[in-house]
């Protein structure tokens, strides 16, 4: 048994582990398909559009000059690893929403990533203060396999909602299932309720 698979004994730690999860100290890499490469960020942009009054597109340097926040949270992958106390830096989703000016019809968010990957959350989830579009992890720029240059960080949901390599944020009036949600995962994805799979 690997050290991190041993049952933790500290009650403060135990109560942070959702049902069916195992702690890891490592940082596993998990995604479907290829890892994009970014040799030249001068051609990278981030688009915010949909049910908003003022859609906009930002270059990389503009994204990096947005207001920043640092958040620390526990992450839980549906494949059963959890990692406590991860620290991310980026722009709060709430700031993007403020700049874009949401219409009343903006009830859901779709994060659009490279190669057509998407993930979806209700607007209330994205409007939590610790939901970020993050460019940093543990004080360093994101590593390529963890989503460089920009990824979503969605608190309180299984980690698949936290799309890596994000290029767009779409506000929608109707819910649009994302990649994993179309492939059998639960749309709500609350790890405390063990909402892993759809349909039962
Ligand atoms: N673009 C993209 N983002 C993705 C995924 C993916 O397949 N593609 N998988 C998700 C899943 S299932 C998890 S657990 C986390 C893993 O993030 P990590 O590789 O940084 O640990 O990324 C999420 N974001
Ligand atoms: Mo995952």
């Amino acid at each position: 048994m690997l050290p991190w698979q041993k049952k933790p004994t500290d009650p403060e730690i135990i109560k942070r582990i959702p049902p069916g999860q195992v702690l890891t100290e490592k940082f596993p890499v998990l995604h479907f398909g290829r890892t994009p490469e970014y040799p030249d960020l001068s051609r990278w942009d981030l688009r915010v559009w949909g049910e908003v009054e003022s859609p906009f597109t930002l270059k990389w340097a503009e994204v990096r000059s947005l207001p920043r926040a640092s958040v620390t949270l526990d992450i839980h992958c549906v494949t059963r690893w959890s990692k406590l106390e991860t620290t991310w830096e980026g722009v709060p989703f709430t700031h993007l929403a403020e700049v874009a000016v949401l219409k009343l019809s903006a009830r859901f968010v779709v994060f659009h990533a490279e190669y057509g990957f998407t993930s979806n959350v209700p607007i209330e989830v994205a409007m939590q203060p610790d939901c970020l579009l993050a460019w940093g992890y543990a004080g360093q720029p994101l590593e390529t396999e963890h989503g460089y240059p920009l990824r979503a960080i969605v608190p309180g949901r299984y980690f698949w909602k936290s799309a890596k390599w994000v290029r767009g944020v779409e506000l929608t009036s109707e819910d649009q299932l994302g990649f994993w949600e179309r492939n059998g995962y639960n749309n709500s994805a609350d790890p405390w309720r063990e909402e892993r799979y759809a349909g039962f």
Side-chain angles (χ1 to χ4, degrees):
M1 190 183 267
L2 295 164
W4 52 267
Q5 289 175 320
K6 292 204 188 105
K7 283 236 182 297
T9 48
D10 181 345
E12 291 303 310
I13 298 292
I14 290 172
K15 70 180 184 207
R16 286 166 68 174
I17 310 172
Q21 296 293 110
V22 175
L23 286 190
T24 180
E25 310 249 298
K26 298 180 298 186
F27 194 172
V29 170
L30 215 138
H31 56 266
F32 178 81
R34 289 186 294 148
T35 298
E37 281 171 34
Y38 288 98
D40 181 7
L41 285 179
S42 69
R43 288 167 57 190
W44 183 97
D45 58 13
L46 176 74
R47 184 175 162 223
V48 178
W49 82 100
E51 300 296 313
V52 298
E53 302 292 349
S54 311
F56 59 90
T57 302
L58 299 176
K59 310 290 290 173
W60 174 241
E62 296 172 317
V63 168
R64 288 307 312 267
S65 67
L66 295 173
R68 60 189 58 200
S70 172
V71 310
T72 298
L73 39 73
D74 301 340
I75 56 182
H76 310 291
C77 174
V78 72
T79 63
R80 298 183 184 273
W81 57 266
S82 288
K83 185 172 173 62
L84 304 185
E85 248 4 69
T86 62
T87 300
W88 304 88
E89 187 184 60
V91 56
F93 173 87
T94 51
H95 178 75
L96 300 179
E98 196 180 311
V99 175
V101 188
L102 302 192
K103 295 185 178 171
L104 283 174
S105 51
R107 294 179 51 232
F108 299 92
V109 178
V110 180
F111 296 109
H112 290 261
E114 299 288 350
Y115 307 141
F117 179 92
T118 61
S119 71
N120 61 304
V121 290
I123 188 72
E124 315 80 80
V125 171
M127 290 298 262
Q128 297 173 98
D130 48 356
C131 180
L132 299 183
L133 275 298
W135 53 70
Y137 169 73
Q140 301 292 325
L142 289 182
E143 287 176 30
T144 308
E145 59 270 30
H146 290 300
Y148 176 87
L150 194 72
R151 76 175 298 164
I153 290 296
V154 177
R157 305 288 143 158
Y158 282 119
F159 205 33
W160 84 75
K161 297 279 185 185
S162 296
K164 304 192 278 192
W165 312 296
V166 169
R167 295 292 303 276
V169 178
E170 182 186 8
L171 284 296
T172 64
S173 56
E174 305 288 332
D175 202 6
Q176 278 177 31
L177 294 186
F179 174 85
W180 290 113
E181 293 79 3
R182 287 194 304 274
N183 284 282
Y185 285 164
N186 185 293
N187 194 24
S188 166
D190 180 347
W192 292 100
R193 301 173 63 174
E194 254 197 298
E195 294 171 335
R196 297 177 190 275
Y197 308 108
F200 60 90

